[in-house]
Amino acid sequence: AVLTEDVICTVHLKSFVEQQGLVGYDPNLDVLLVTEGKLRSLAELQQAVLQCTVSNLWRCEPLTSQTSFPSGSCCSIVHVVSCEEEFQQQQLDLLWRILDPGAHTALQKHLVCGPVKVTNPSSPIGADQYFQLRKRQMYEASVMKYGELAQDEAWTEVIDTLTVAAIRFEMLSTAHRSQITLDLEDSSISTKGTKSGAFVMYNCARLATLFDTYQRAERPCTYPPLPPASELNFSCLREEGEWLLLFNYLLPFPEVLQQAAQLPASTKGIRITANTETVCKFLIQLSMDFSSYYNRVHVLGEPFPHLFDQMFARLRLLGAVRDVFHSALATLHLLPLSQI
């Protein structure tokens, strides 16, 4: 016997869309059979909105695959949905508007994600298996690079962080509506390859190590404290790579964020776009240019007073680069790596 959910009632969605003048919905939406399952989904969404508005007006955590984001005194709703489930999510969206015609339901938007395909899979693979596979590849690459050090317990957290970064970049470097093709045999994302999240994290760790080294050397008075930026002579920065970092990354960064991470609730229609691939590309290019500069220039020089002006200017520049790394990674919900 096949068990089916009992239909509670029917709702005419097409006429509701026309009456409300809503834009962007599938023209094939017509009669919806309302079941207990759909009402349970709406109850979960309602609970998410309640938690968002009551616990913290400026930040909320997702309870389901539909994430609520605060906007002013109420929540605007962003449904993150796969392309295969877009039609069903539009049905749920409209049903919620009908049953709860409030300010939050009127602000619903949809972020539609393309399919994820795996090349030549020997068997179906789930998210947990995929993570463990990438983690094993990351571990093997770390052992190959760092030897027995990478087998220490302290490396567990590092490898987890690198694995998460590698997966985020592998997924988010593709426009969200496009198909992602995963090559499970390709271990390049787990190495220092210049297109991987691990490479970005590696350069974050290099910056953290640089400033940690400076601060430790400052205690025994090897170097004096870093002066305020207003007292520094930035004309000491004469390397082409220094000005490349300034003009190609530090100055344009706010515009990159505005273009990539904004989810405007005021746009016409229900679909919105989050250009995560722009942030990934920005971070990878920044990592490549910073790495090239860092390999070429000795930032912490000999502790001679006549060299301090240039060293301080470089430290301030690289401090700003570090802040950009951290801010850009935060938009991908990634914490920077502090050491390797």
Side-chain angles (χ1 to χ4, degrees), residues 7-317:
V7 177
I8 297 173
C9 65
T10 59
V11 177
H12 293 274
L13 298 179
K14 192 169 186 178
S15 58
F16 177 77
V17 171
E18 294 172 351
Q19 291 169 8
Q20 298 294 317
L22 301 175
V23 178
Y25 290 86
D26 194 304
N28 296 312
L29 286 168
D30 195 3
V31 176
L32 171 65
L33 303 179
V34 181
T35 62
E36 289 186 5
K38 288 184 172 58
L39 294 181
R40 280 195 296 269
S41 297
L42 291 185
E44 290 179 354
L45 284 170
Q46 200 74 358
Q47 181 63 30
V49 171
L50 180 63
Q51 178 174 334
C52 175
T53 54
V54 170
S55 64
N56 193 337
L57 283 175
W58 300 107
R59 180 180 179 182
C60 69
E61 300 296 335
L63 296 184
T64 67
S65 60
Q66 290 78 32
T67 305
S68 305
F69 293 92
S71 176
S73 60
C74 67
C75 286
S76 57
I77 314 301
V78 180
H79 300 289
V80 183
V81 59
S82 67
C83 56
E84 293 93 345
E85 298 174 346
E86 182 181 6
F87 186 82
Q88 291 83 352
Q89 191 63 51
Q90 289 187 19
Q91 290 180 322
L92 198 64
D93 169 326
L94 292 171
L95 180 61
W96 196 13
R97 290 174 187 263
I98 293 170
L99 297 180
D100 183 12
H104 51 278
T105 57
L107 294 174
Q108 293 180 82
K109 295 292 180 180
H110 295 238
L111 186 70
V112 182
C113 300
V116 179
K117 302 295 183 182
V118 177
T119 59
N120 304 319
S122 56
S123 62
I125 183 170
D128 290 340
Q129 295 169 301
Y130 169 63
F131 178 83
Q132 292 303 324
L133 171 66
R134 291 306 191 209
K135 183 176 179 179
R136 186 174 69 251
Q137 293 171 337
M138 186 67 68
Y139 172 78
E140 292 170 352
S142 299
V143 170
M144 186 176 298
K145 182 173 178 60
Y146 299 102
E148 293 183 0
L149 287 174
Q151 302 180 49
D152 188 89
E153 288 185 4
W155 272 79
T156 302
E157 186 177 348
V158 171
I159 290 174
D160 281 343
T161 301
L162 291 173
T163 303
V164 171
I167 290 174
R168 293 273 171 90
F169 273 75
E170 186 177 30
M171 294 280 187
L172 300 179
S173 294
T174 300
H176 65 83
R177 289 194 63 89
S178 301
Q179 174 178 303
I180 298 175
T181 302
L182 302 179
D183 183 357
L184 301 185
E185 300 303 320
D186 180 14
S187 60
S188 64
I189 68 159
S190 62
T191 67
K192 212 177 75 171
T194 55
K195 291 187 178 180
S196 73
F199 178 65
V200 174
M201 287 298 190
Y202 172 75
N203 282 285
C204 282
R206 297 172 86 181
L207 277 166
T209 300
L210 168 70
F211 283 94
D212 182 60
T213 302
Y214 171 76
Q215 289 169 359
R216 283 190 281 108
E218 185 183 347
R219 294 191 189 103
C221 299
T222 302
Y223 298 125
L226 186 61
S230 59
E231 298 179 9
L232 298 182
N233 179 15
F234 287 101
S235 65
C236 295
L237 300 178
R238 299 187 180 93
E239 286 279 339
E240 181 182 357
E242 292 161 348
W243 296 100
L244 184 148
L245 290 172
L246 175 64
F247 287 108
N248 287 5
Y249 301 102
L250 298 186
L251 296 181
F253 179 58
E255 185 179 353
V256 170
L257 282 187
Q258 187 175 15
Q259 293 174 352
Q262 195 173 28
L263 300 176
S266 60
T267 54
K268 192 174 183 180
I270 60 169
R271 292 177 179 170
I272 55 176
T273 298
N275 298 316
T276 56
E277 70 279 6
T278 302
V279 178
C280 292
K281 181 179 179 182
F282 176 86
L283 278 167
I284 289 170
Q285 291 293 330
L286 171 59
S287 298
M288 293 173 65
D289 286 335
F290 163 72
S291 180
S292 176
Y293 169 75
Y294 195 73
N295 289 336
R296 192 175 63 255
V297 174
H298 191 53
V299 177
L300 299 180
E302 296 294 331
F304 299 138
H306 70 281
L307 300 176
F308 286 161
D309 282 353
Q310 186 179 61
M311 183 184 72
F312 289 152
R314 284 174 172 171
L315 284 172
R316 282 295 179 189
L317 172 70

Side-chain angles (χ1 to χ4, degrees), residues 316-334:
R316 282 295 179 189
L317 172 70
L318 295 183
V321 170
R322 179 186 56 182
D323 292 343
V324 166
F325 265 113
H326 292 188
S327 296
L329 286 170
T331 68
L332 306 177
H333 285 246
L334 284 170

